[in-house]
Each structure stands twice: as structure tokens, then as C-alpha cells.
Amino acid sequence: MKSRIALAAGAAALAAATLTAVPATTAQAAEAVTVTDACLTSVPDPGSTAPVDICYTLFQPVGADAKHRVPLIFHSHGWGGSRTRSAASFQKFTDAGYGVLSFDQRGFGASGGQAYVMNPDVEGHDVRALVDLVSKLSWVTQDRPGDPRLGAIGGSYGGGYQFLGAFESLRLKGRPIFDALAPEITWYDLKESLAPENVVRTEWAAALTAAAVPGDSLPRSVYKGLVEGAATGNWPDGSIPGTENLTAFFEKNGPKWHVGKGRKLKIPTLLGQGTTDSLFPLEQGLQNFQRSITRKARTKSIFIGYNGGHVLPAVYPRGVSVTSDPCSKELAGGSFQDLSLRFFDEQLRKKKTGLKGYGAYHLATPDSTCTSVKSVAANTTVDLGTIASTELAGPALPFAVAQGPIRIAGTPYLTGSLSAAGVNNRAFAGLAIGSNPLDARLIQNNVLPINAPLPVNGEARRVALPSVAIDVPAGQTLYLLMSPFSENFVGMGSRTPGAIVLQNTVIHLPVVAN
């Protein structure tokens, strides 16, 4: 019963995450907006010869024509969703004089085919075909032939197409077609998101699979591989004869592949990521901001971390329950959508709106304050000595790190010497806060696995910890929490009892100067 409830919760959280990108405004959309529903033809699925329809809805704002051209904003949905066909949902953009094109991703909605999860050889063609369509619209601003003035919005899977389209233009044409991006709660490294340290996020793997079943949206090999991962406790990489190789399937499916080929985007980017997101956690967004765009582009870009995204209840280890976006409010006086509109006005229309916060990270804390920093790198070390976790079963163990007041914002990590006697040794680690060890709670709900498939004795290790933002007040303590299992990784703990021990442990913290 528990797994069925968790699966339902995961599917519900996935659906909710996809809705955050385009909140409905008023019920009365601008009456003069011209709405067009249509489909175009794109390339067949791999192994097929049948062309695939990609369907879209186009919103032309009042006054836009060949003599009064306007920029256009692309939009698409999250995993398992479909395009937005209501003009009311985009009224803030159309009222501001932007056209909008919302489309169904391959395998979803009215579009055909199956989802290859942002593969350049498949979905890359779909996005390019839509850009080509827009380049022929007489009422859209064109910077040069075949180069319309474009922004892009969307969350989760709807953030993935933005990086795909931008990188594909860079790969094939040597220059960007998109002029500004506003992706939310999306990934840098899809495999690492689904299985950090090769340990599968079972709750999310199940939820993503369930969302794809009604439309048969995934190739059969992917369904089979995710089931194998849940059954074996290991990410399926084809190393066992007769099993699937999801590493190969997902190899090109995200910014990491393009960055590995030497590509970086010169595009201003407003990037929103959930601090409490347990599918594409904060670190995925930070990697996109640091690695996917150039240093010069970052000076014209803004990073927003908000409490939200793909969220599951954090029952064990205990976490927090909060949804808020204090940083968008601080910078733009409203929501992330309001911030996006001001960002596009500055980047696509070169308007001076007084928007601040460029070139910095703005991260929400669990108490809904906003911490702004120029760097999220660790800058302070604390010696912890020996820390440990039981395996298979047992309580989460807190280890005191620092007394408040102290402010943390960024990506911490551990270094030390790892020992474990068994096989498939696993534990889960994250930062927590409490007035004493008994009431310590995860700061923003995330843990990351420590994985030692074979026995180790004193092996030097660097252990990643979830990125966080927290103001630890006086009277509270910052803890490192070590647990033998996690609800986000159900069934992925050690299969045999034992202990994981890290000696000479040093924790590296991104401390914010007062």
C-alpha cells in the first residue's frame, strides 16, 4: 500500500511541477488575441519511416502585423503534460505585446511519436522545425533571415527543450537562435538526476514511468530499464548481459553532453530551480548556470532558487514543507512569471526596467527569506573526525557541524577516508538544522547517496551533499545527517546489514559573509 501511495504522490507532484511554469491569470483573456491551432511534420521516430506531427497553438497579440512586428515567446509543458491552449494563461505576455507559441512535445498531447527525452537527433528536429515556422511569420520580429527574435519559458521537461533548441542552433549554425531563456526546474545531467552515484531515485523513476504509460510515450526499452533499476538497486548500464543500457539512451539528452563537446551558450538566461526539488535538485540548476552559459552571458543572467519544484513529502529523514518564492518578489515585486516578463523586456526589447540581480544567485531559505551571493562555492572547512551510518536499517544519525548564527548558500561536500566491509554499501547524507540532535530536520528535503559497490578500506572520497540555502539562528545547530535509507530512494539502500564509516572527515561549506 505504501508504494502505491508514494507513486500517486509522485505523479501528483510531477503534475503540479509542470503547472507552475504558466499560472493562469484572469479568466478574461485579451479578446483581440488571434489563436491558431495547427500541426507541422517532423522526422520519424528512430526505426520508423512515418513522419511525426508536432502540434502547437499560436497566440498573435493585438496590433501585431507586418508593419508592427513583435518578439515571440516559446512555451512547452512538463513531462506527461500537453500544450497550453488558453489565451488567458499567457495574457501577461500578449498584453505586453509578445506573441506566444505553445507546443505538444513528441509523444504527448496531440503530437505523435514517442519521447526520446530531448535527444538532439529526434526532439532537436522538432524544435528546429518550430523555429523555422516562426521565422516565416510576417508579424514576428526577425533579426536576420531565418532568425526570429525569440524567448522561451517552461518548467521541467518544458525547460529541457529550451537548452536543446539553443544548443542545437549553436551546434549546427554556430550561433544562437533563441535570444533569451527562462527555464525552470530542469536538468543539466539527466542520468545524474535520475540516479546520483548510480543509485536510482525510485519514487521519481516510478512517477515518470507512470506519467508516460497512458500515451505509450516512451520506447519499451526505457520502461524495461527503469523496472530493472528498481529491482536490482543499480542504474542499468548494459553491463549485465540481457539488460538495458539507459546510460547510452540518455547520453546526449541534456546540456552536459553539449558542454562536453566544448559548447557554451552566449544567451542571457533567467534560471529558476527548486531548492526543495528532489528530482532535479538545486545543484542541477547551479551546474546549468555555471557550465551551460558563458561567463559573459552570466553577467546578463539571473539565478533564482525558490522553495518548490518536483516535491515529495520528506518523512524520513524528516524535512520541511514550504512553498515560496521570496527572491522573485524581491527582484520584481511578484512571481517568477512577473520576473520573466521584465527580463524579456530588457533582453528582447532592450528596455530599461530597473531590474536588478544580474550575475548573481538568489536563493530562498526554508523560512522564505532571500539570500543573494556572487558565488556558491565552498569556502570554509570544519573537521568532523569520524562519522558513520548503519546500513539496511537504523536511525538517522546527526553530527554537529556548527552553532548558529551562520549562513550557508551553495554547494557543500565532504572529504575523508571511506571504509565499508560489505557489498552494495550505501548511506544517504544531507545537511539538517535543529535545536538538538533529536529534532534535527533536513534543511530543504534532499539527501545524496554514498555508494560503495565493493568492500573498501580507507579509500579517499569526495562525497557530494545537496546544495542548500539556510540562515541558522542563534540557539540552533547545523548538523550533517547520515541515514541508512531515504524515501526518495525507496529500496535503494544496502541489501545487507553493516556500516559505512568516513574517517578524517572534513565538511566544506559555502558560508555567507555577514
Side-chain angles (χ1 to χ4, degrees), residues 135-433:
S135 73
K136 296 177 172 62
L137 297 175
S138 63
W139 53 271
V140 173
T141 303
Q142 308 289 327
D143 292 323
R144 59 174 65 88
D147 186 1
R149 185 80 56 82
L150 294 178
I153 59 175
S156 191
Y157 202 55
Y161 87 87
Q162 298 181 50
F163 282 112
L164 172 65
F167 272 117
E168 278 297 274
S169 170
L170 181 61
R171 181 175 72 91
L172 296 171
K173 297 187 176 183
R175 57 181 171 83
I177 292 294
F178 287 90
D179 300 286
L181 306 177
E184 294 183 70
I185 55 174
T186 195
W187 70 90
Y188 173 75
D189 181 346
L190 188 52
K191 183 265 176 183
E192 185 66 15
S193 295
L194 293 173
E197 290 291 306
N198 290 320
V199 181
V200 179
R201 294 186 191 269
T202 42
E203 296 286 325
W204 285 116
L208 292 165
T209 303
V213 166
D216 192 27
S217 300
L218 276 170
R220 295 294 179 185
S221 60
V222 180
Y223 289 118
K224 183 172 179 284
L226 291 173
V227 170
E228 289 171 356
T232 64
N234 296 295
W235 179 253
D237 59 5
S239 58
I240 301 175
T243 61
E244 298 298 329
N245 188 346
L246 292 190
T247 298
F249 182 87
F250 289 121
E251 180 185 9
K252 298 181 179 181
N253 298 21
K256 182 182 179 182
W257 181 75
H258 290 278
V259 172
K261 298 295 182 180
R263 304 179 195 112
K264 285 182 179 286
L265 301 175
K266 302 176 182 180
I267 303 174
T269 302
L270 170 63
L271 206 157
Q273 202 77 15
T275 59
T276 52
D277 195 311
S278 56
L279 172 59
F280 303 135
L282 182 59
E283 176 63 16
Q284 289 292 308
L286 295 176
Q287 290 188 56
N288 265 325
F289 199 75
Q290 295 160 352
R291 300 177 183 180
S292 297
I293 61 179
T294 64
R295 180 175 298 181
K296 184 176 180 180
R298 284 198 297 275
T299 65
K300 300 178 180 179
S301 301
I302 300 172
F303 188 96
I304 299 291
Y306 47 69
N307 293 310
H310 309 85
V311 179
L312 293 173
V315 178
Y316 192 88
R318 294 184 305 165
V320 297
S321 177
V322 57
T323 301
S324 64
D325 184 6
C327 297
S328 290
K329 185 175 182 179
E330 186 172 294
L331 293 180
S335 66
F336 188 87
Q337 189 186 55
D338 296 319
L339 178 57
S340 299
L341 185 56
R342 287 184 63 177
F343 179 76
F344 287 137
D345 280 346
E346 294 214 340
Q347 301 303 326
L348 300 181
R349 287 203 162 109
K350 306 306 177 185
K351 288 184 178 180
K352 297 297 184 182
T353 72
L355 181 60
K356 305 295 183 183
Y358 286 103
Y361 305 87
H362 309 276
L363 307 179
T365 66
D367 57 0
S368 297
T369 61
C370 181
T371 296
S372 297
V373 293
K374 287 290 187 178
S375 172
V376 291
N379 54 21
T380 302
T381 59
V382 178
D383 291 332
L384 298 182
T386 298
I387 64 173
S389 174
T390 59
E391 298 183 72
L392 184 64
L397 301 177
F399 298 87
V401 174
Q403 300 293 321
I406 185 172
R407 300 174 68 203
I408 306 293
T411 306
Y413 63 95
L414 302 171
T415 54
S417 301
L418 184 69
S419 297
V423 296
N424 289 324
N425 303 284
R426 290 175 182 177
F428 301 88
L431 289 180
I433 182 175

